[in-house]
Coordinates of all heavy atoms in Angstrom, one line a residue:
S1 N 143.6 90.9 86.5 CA 144.0 90.3 85.2 C 143.0 90.9 84.1 O 142.0 91.5 84.4 CB 143.9 88.8 85.2 OG 142.6 88.3 85.5
R2 N 143.4 90.6 82.9 CA 142.6 91.1 81.7 C 142.6 90.0 80.6 O 143.7 89.4 80.4 CB 143.0 92.4 81.2 CG 144.4 92.5 80.7 CD 144.9 94.0 80.5 NE 144.2 94.6 79.4 CZ 144.3 95.9 79.1 NH1 145.0 96.7 79.9 NH2 143.6 96.4 78.1
D3 N 141.5 89.8 80.0 CA 141.4 88.9 78.9 C 140.9 89.8 77.7 O 139.8 90.1 77.5 CB 140.4 87.8 79.1 CG 140.4 86.8 78.1 OD1 140.7 87.0 76.9 OD2 140.0 85.6 78.4
N4 N 141.9 90.2 76.8 CA 141.6 91.0 75.7 C 140.6 90.4 74.7 O 139.8 91.1 74.1 CB 142.9 91.4 75.0 CG 143.8 92.3 75.8 OD1 143.3 93.0 76.8 ND2 145.0 92.4 75.5
A5 N 140.7 89.1 74.5 CA 139.8 88.4 73.6 C 138.3 88.5 74.1 O 137.4 88.5 73.2 CB 140.2 87.0 73.4
K6 N 138.1 88.6 75.4 CA 136.7 88.7 75.9 C 136.4 90.2 76.3 O 135.3 90.4 76.9 CB 136.6 87.8 77.1 CG 136.7 86.3 76.8 CD 136.5 85.5 78.0 CE 136.6 84.0 77.6 NZ 136.4 83.1 78.8
N7 N 137.2 91.1 76.1 CA 137.0 92.5 76.5 C 136.7 92.6 77.9 O 135.8 93.4 78.3 CB 135.9 93.1 75.6 CG 136.2 93.2 74.2 OD1 137.4 93.2 73.8 ND2 135.2 93.3 73.3
T8 N 137.4 91.8 78.7 CA 137.0 91.7 80.2 C 138.2 91.8 81.1 O 139.3 91.3 80.8 CB 136.3 90.4 80.4 OG1 135.2 90.2 79.6 CG2 135.9 90.3 81.9
M9 N 138.0 92.5 82.1 CA 139.0 92.6 83.2 C 138.4 92.0 84.4 O 137.2 92.1 84.7 CB 139.3 94.1 83.5 CG 140.3 94.3 84.6 SD 140.7 96.1 84.9 CE 139.1 96.7 85.5
Y10 N 139.3 91.3 85.2 CA 138.9 90.6 86.4 C 139.6 91.1 87.6 O 140.7 91.6 87.6 CB 139.1 89.1 86.2 CG 138.5 88.5 85.0 CD1 139.2 88.3 83.9 CD2 137.2 88.1 85.1 CE1 138.6 87.7 82.8 CE2 136.6 87.5 84.0 CZ 137.3 87.3 82.8 OH 136.7 86.7 81.7
L11 N 139.0 90.8 88.8 CA 139.6 91.0 90.0 C 139.3 89.8 90.9 O 138.1 89.6 91.3 CB 139.1 92.3 90.8 CG 139.8 92.6 92.1 CD1 141.3 93.0 91.8 CD2 139.1 93.7 92.8
H12 N 140.3 89.0 91.1 CA 140.1 87.8 92.0 C 140.5 88.2 93.4 O 141.6 88.7 93.7 CB 141.0 86.7 91.5 CG 140.6 86.1 90.2 ND1 141.0 86.6 89.0 CD2 139.9 84.9 89.9 CE1 140.5 85.8 88.0 NE2 139.8 84.8 88.6
M13 N 139.5 88.0 94.3 CA 139.7 88.5 95.7 C 139.7 87.2 96.6 O 138.7 86.5 96.6 CB 138.6 89.4 96.1 CG 138.5 90.7 95.2 SD 137.2 91.9 95.7 CE 135.7 90.9 95.4
N14 N 140.8 87.1 97.3 CA 140.9 86.0 98.2 C 141.1 86.5 99.7 O 141.5 87.7 99.8 CB 142.1 85.1 97.9 CG 141.9 84.4 96.5 OD1 140.9 83.9 96.2 ND2 143.0 84.5 95.7
S15 N 140.8 85.6 100.6 CA 141.0 86.0 102.0 C 140.4 87.3 102.3 O 140.9 88.2 103.0 CB 142.5 86.1 102.4 OG 143.1 84.8 102.1
L16 N 139.1 87.5 101.9 CA 138.4 88.7 102.1 C 138.2 89.1 103.6 O 138.0 88.2 104.4 CB 137.0 88.6 101.4 CG 137.1 88.8 99.9 CD1 135.8 88.2 99.3 CD2 137.3 90.2 99.5
E17 N 138.3 90.3 103.8 CA 138.2 90.9 105.2 C 137.0 91.8 105.2 O 136.6 92.4 104.2 CB 139.5 91.6 105.6 CG 140.7 90.8 105.5 CD 142.0 91.6 105.6 OE1 141.9 92.8 105.7 OE2 143.1 91.0 105.7
T18 N 136.5 92.1 106.4 CA 135.3 93.0 106.5 C 135.7 94.4 106.0 O 134.8 95.1 105.5 CB 134.8 93.1 108.0 OG1 135.9 93.5 108.8 CG2 134.3 91.7 108.5
E19 N 136.9 94.8 106.1 CA 137.4 96.1 105.6 C 137.3 96.2 104.1 O 137.5 97.3 103.6 CB 138.8 96.3 106.1 CG 138.9 96.6 107.6 CD 138.9 95.3 108.4 OE1 139.0 94.2 107.8 OE2 138.8 95.4 109.7
D20 N 137.2 95.1 103.4 CA 137.0 95.1 102.0 C 135.6 95.4 101.5 O 135.4 95.6 100.3 CB 137.4 93.7 101.4 CG 138.9 93.4 101.6 OD1 139.8 94.2 101.5 OD2 139.2 92.2 102.0
T21 N 134.7 95.5 102.4 CA 133.3 95.9 102.1 C 133.3 97.3 101.4 O 133.8 98.2 102.0 CB 132.4 95.9 103.3 OG1 132.4 94.5 103.8 CG2 131.0 96.3 103.0
A22 N 132.7 97.3 100.2 CA 132.7 98.6 99.5 C 132.0 98.4 98.2 O 131.7 97.2 97.8 CB 134.1 99.1 99.2
V23 N 131.7 99.4 97.4 CA 131.3 99.3 96.1 C 132.5 99.4 95.2 O 133.3 100.3 95.3 CB 130.3 100.5 95.7 CG1 129.9 100.4 94.2 CG2 129.1 100.5 96.5
Y24 N 132.7 98.4 94.3 CA 133.8 98.3 93.5 C 133.5 98.8 92.1 O 132.5 98.4 91.5 CB 134.3 96.8 93.5 CG 135.1 96.4 94.7 CD1 134.4 96.3 95.9 CD2 136.4 96.3 94.7 CE1 135.0 95.9 97.1 CE2 137.1 95.9 95.9 CZ 136.4 95.7 97.1 OH 137.1 95.4 98.2
Y25 N 134.4 99.6 91.6 CA 134.2 100.3 90.3 C 135.3 99.9 89.3 O 136.4 99.9 89.7 CB 134.1 101.8 90.4 CG 133.0 102.3 91.2 CD1 133.1 102.5 92.6 CD2 131.8 102.6 90.6 CE1 132.1 103.0 93.3 CE2 130.7 103.1 91.4 CZ 130.9 103.3 92.7 OH 129.8 103.8 93.5
C26 N 134.9 99.7 88.1 CA 135.8 99.4 87.0 C 136.1 100.8 86.3 O 135.3 101.6 86.2 CB 135.2 98.5 86.0 SG 136.1 98.2 84.5
R27 N 137.4 101.0 86.0 CA 137.8 102.2 85.4 C 138.7 102.0 84.2 O 139.6 101.1 84.2 CB 138.6 103.1 86.4 CG 139.3 104.3 85.8 CD 139.9 105.2 86.9 NE 140.7 106.2 86.3 CZ 141.2 107.2 87.0 NH1 141.0 107.3 88.3 NH2 142.0 108.1 86.4

């Protein structure tokens, strides 16, 4: 999701798995 008023983008992650382990980058 993104909130333009806050100049912010979000990533809500649920039901995380070990395979999700990584460095996450914003682009």
